[in-house]
Amino acid sequence: LATVQGGTQRGTRAAYRLSDGRLVVSPFKAEGRSVTYWTNVIATLKNSYGINVAFVPTFLDFRAYASAFANISYGFSHWGQRSPAANTATSMKSTIDLAHSMGKIWMQPVSVQDERPNQAVYDEANNTENLRATWTGAINGADWVQMVTWNDYSEGTQFAPSQRNNSTYLDLSSYYLVRFKTGAFPTITKDVVYVTHRMQRYASLPTYPQTSLMRLRSGSSPARNKIEVLTMLTSGATVTATIGGVQSTYDAPSGVHYGLFDLRNGQHSASVQRNGNTTASVTTKYTVVDRPYVQDLQYFAVNSGRG
């Protein structure tokens, strides 16, 4: 869960409890077990251990199982998709409305991306668009948020800071999280620029003789080769993006704004200028190449806020 609440009964501070003391239990792929199974689990926790449960199953197929699980559930969630095409405002709002129509809270999955070399499949996240879209979906009616996932590196979905994304996805999330929790976006107090890109074009073949290459998942946004320069500005300013040695300059407004550029070989940089002063700048850490050693379709990220 995105929100951690201190436990007062039989638990640690990492255990989320409602104000009435019920322990929130949210199993992944809940439909993998029957309603009877989960009913017995809930009863055992109460009768044998004195733990009252608020059951919030996370489904792979929410719509197919919601009705069957309704009587034992406090709320619902699903694992969700990882591309803007699958996370439209209409589709997310429809899902939230269905949960609410059944008298249940909805826990919105918020995600960065998904690329799975071990399963030979990936989604097109469109740089940070999927992250921003799923946060917007949560803001537009969800009760809780589940950030999917903290450290699932094998599926390339991680939010955790790392050499390849710094703190970028957490820092961006903090902006939307404040809006979700308080109803208002925080005041931007300093200029920050974020750059996201892949280190290869999606169709580039590796030099290593891999036996299995990733393919685009059905239902995903179309694959694309873009670099995104996203700015959070205190007021309007001039942004200069140098993409593979090609320089572009444009005016960006206050708040959140992004520009897209064709992916080019080499390293890339972006800076913000206002009144003759550079207020933010960043250079990518990884070089885009024609032929990577192995296929790697995750998005890499850097930002000027924390390196």
Side-chain angles (χ1 to χ4, degrees):
L1 293 174
T3 302
V4 176
Q5 177 175 310
T8 56
Q9 308 173 29
R10 296 178 178 271
T12 68
R13 293 185 60 83
Y16 185 83
R17 293 179 183 271
L18 303 184
S19 59
D20 62 11
R22 279 182 291 171
L23 175 69
V24 175
V25 174
S26 184
F28 167 76
K29 194 182 177 182
E31 67 265 44
R33 296 282 190 171
S34 68
V35 174
T36 299
Y37 172 87
W38 290 116
T39 300
N40 289 337
V41 168
I42 294 167
T44 298
L45 287 170
K46 180 178 181 178
N47 298 330
S48 299
Y49 301 98
I51 299 174
N52 291 317
V53 165
F55 190 58
V56 184
T58 294
F59 300 107
L60 293 185
D61 191 344
F62 161 63
R63 291 179 180 272
Y65 291 92
S67 294
F69 279 74
N71 286 340
I72 65 169
S73 299
Y74 175 78
F76 295 127
S77 186
H78 67 177
W79 201 235
Q81 305 300 318
R82 308 288 180 260
S83 74
N87 287 316
T88 66
T90 299
S91 66
M92 288 186 286
K93 187 64 166 61
S94 174
T95 300
I96 293 169
D97 288 347
L98 176 57
H100 287 171
S101 73
M102 301 175 73
K104 310 300 177 185
I105 66 100
W106 177 255
M107 182 166 66
Q108 173 67 26
V110 168
S111 57
V112 177
Q113 59 185 331
D114 194 316
E115 56 96 37
R116 310 182 183 192
N118 61 351
Q119 297 176 37
V121 67
Y122 75 100
D123 289 278
E124 178 52 72
N126 284 0
N127 300 80
T128 69
E129 184 181 352
N130 185 70
L131 177 62
R132 291 180 280 114
T134 50
W135 266 117
T136 300
I139 289 166
N140 291 334
D143 304 281
W144 297 352
V145 162
Q146 178 180 201
M147 296 171 70
V148 186
T149 63
W150 176 251
N151 60 353
D152 194 342
Y153 297 102
S154 71
E155 296 185 359
T157 65
Q158 67 277 0
F159 278 86
S162 70
Q163 287 292 319
R164 296 193 172 188
N165 65 44
N166 308 141
S167 60
T168 295
Y169 303 131
L170 287 179
D171 288 355
L172 285 173
S173 291
S174 68
Y175 180 75
Y176 293 92
L177 177 60
V178 170
R179 171 63 176 83
F180 175 75
K181 292 178 72 67
T182 70
F185 283 109
T187 300
I188 297 173
T189 57
K190 71 173 183 178
D191 295 336
V192 182
V193 57
Y194 304 85
V195 179
T196 53
H197 67 96
R198 290 193 177 106
M199 61 178 286
Q200 64 163 95
R201 293 162 186 82
Y202 66 82
S204 295
L205 296 176
T207 58
Y208 185 83
Q210 285 184 243
T211 58
S212 179
L213 295 175
M214 287 179 281
R215 303 295 182 186
L216 192 67
R217 192 193 305 271
S218 175
S220 169
S221 298
R224 73 181 194 185
N225 297 313
K226 295 291 183 180
I227 292 176
E228 179 190 274
V229 176
L230 185 146
T231 49
M232 286 190 177
L233 303 181
T234 60
S235 62
T238 299
V239 177
T240 300
T242 304
I243 310 300
V246 177
Q247 188 176 94
S248 300
T249 300
Y250 60 95
D251 293 329
S254 62
V256 178
H257 180 79
Y258 68 92
L260 292 176
F261 304 89
D262 290 336
L263 189 66
R264 296 177 181 272
N265 287 1
Q267 288 185 280
H268 319 289
S269 63
S271 60
V272 177
Q273 295 83 32
R274 186 184 299 107
N275 301 325
N277 298 314
T278 297
T279 60
S281 64
V282 70
T283 299
T284 59
K285 294 181 178 180
Y286 294 91
T287 302
V288 179
V289 297
D290 281 328
R291 297 288 304 277
Y293 179 63
V294 294
Q295 187 187 48
D296 189 347
L297 296 182
Q298 69 178 296
Y299 278 101
F300 292 63
V302 292
N303 71 82
S304 64
R306 289 198 277 177

